[in-house]
Amino acid sequence: MNLRQYRIPFLWFYFFSLLLWIVEEVYTLVSPPDIFDRYRVVVATVESFIALSSFLTIFILYKELKIEEGENGQAQTVIHDLKRTNRILKNPSSGFWQEVSAQMEEWKLTDTEKEIAILLLRGFSHQQIAGVRQKSLRTVENQTASIYDKSSMRGKLEFISFFLTPLLPEED
């Protein structure tokens, strides 16, 4: 639902309602009481309408704020990814591993987790990592799960693609 298309007409309508309310209030103050009795239903209706339109305005502004917040978050993610890609592409041979190291620091991986993460990036299986590190398969699986948890990744493929995607050329 695109709320932006209703913003300007609604704000004009809201402004007109406020103006009408002010005119109505001034009229009731300068008129004799018997006229006020005849128009009190109109006054109450107008005041209720203005209150309702105020709540509706607040609701619309809240929805727009949430939409903008989501778009802002997406934009920040894209900017972060583009900066990462730029750093890697400036110096592909060492830039990739520097970026991997910086990202692991950002995720606060332990030295053991960093070592396992590098082996994962090199394509090692859990069994191969357990053999290289001389640890049990269960230990490697637990440490790998910790890496995925800290990096907010769901598995090995997503973890590897996070680092390799910036190196891929754009699709035509």
Side-chain angles (χ1 to χ4, degrees):
M1 182 174 154
N2 187 2
L3 298 175
R4 293 177 190 197
Q5 64 188 0
Y6 301 111
R7 180 175 46 196
I8 299 299
F10 184 80
L11 289 176
W12 277 108
F13 181 72
Y14 184 69
F15 174 76
F16 178 75
S17 300
L18 284 174
L19 188 61
L20 183 62
W21 181 29
I22 293 168
V23 168
E24 193 70 33
E25 289 296 320
V26 169
Y27 180 74
T28 57
L29 289 173
V30 297
S31 300
D34 58 319
I35 294 176
F36 176 73
D37 289 339
R38 282 188 257 154
Y39 293 105
R40 84 181 139 90
V41 174
V42 173
V43 171
T45 303
V46 169
E47 288 176 343
S48 299
F49 179 74
I50 291 170
L52 180 63
S53 61
S54 297
F55 287 120
L56 188 57
T57 301
I58 291 170
F59 174 76
I60 289 172
L61 292 175
Y62 175 77
K63 285 293 201 182
E64 285 187 15
L65 181 64
K66 285 297 180 185
I67 290 169
E68 295 296 328
E69 185 178 310
E71 290 174 357
N72 188 23
Q74 290 173 347
Q76 287 177 348
T77 301
V78 168
I79 289 170
H80 179 71
D81 290 346
L82 289 173
K83 284 181 178 179
R84 181 168 53 97
T85 301
N86 192 32
R87 286 190 301 265
I88 291 171
L89 294 177
K90 278 184 180 176
N91 189 358
S93 58
S94 63
F96 177 78
W97 290 110
Q98 289 173 351
E99 188 58 33
V100 167
S101 179
Q103 187 62 57
M104 289 182 189
E105 289 293 327
E106 186 177 318
W107 288 333
K108 296 178 177 46
L109 298 183
T110 65
D111 290 338
T112 302
E113 291 170 339
K114 288 177 189 176
E115 183 181 336
I116 291 172
I118 288 171
L119 293 173
L120 287 171
L121 286 172
R122 292 187 182 273
F124 282 58
S125 68
H126 288 160
Q127 292 83 5
Q128 291 170 325
I129 294 171
V132 168
R133 298 198 69 247
Q134 298 177 352
K135 300 291 180 185
S136 73
L137 180 61
R138 187 72 180 141
T139 300
V140 171
E141 288 172 347
N142 288 337
Q143 290 169 327
T144 304
S146 177
I147 292 168
Y148 298 151
D149 185 47
K150 289 180 180 180
S151 65
S152 301
M153 304 291 165
R154 288 175 278 186
K156 183 177 182 178
L157 292 177
E158 186 177 357
F159 183 77
I160 292 172
S161 97
F162 178 82
F163 292 103
L164 294 182
T165 301
L167 299 174
L168 300 174
E170 290 292 321
E171 296 177 19
D172 292 329

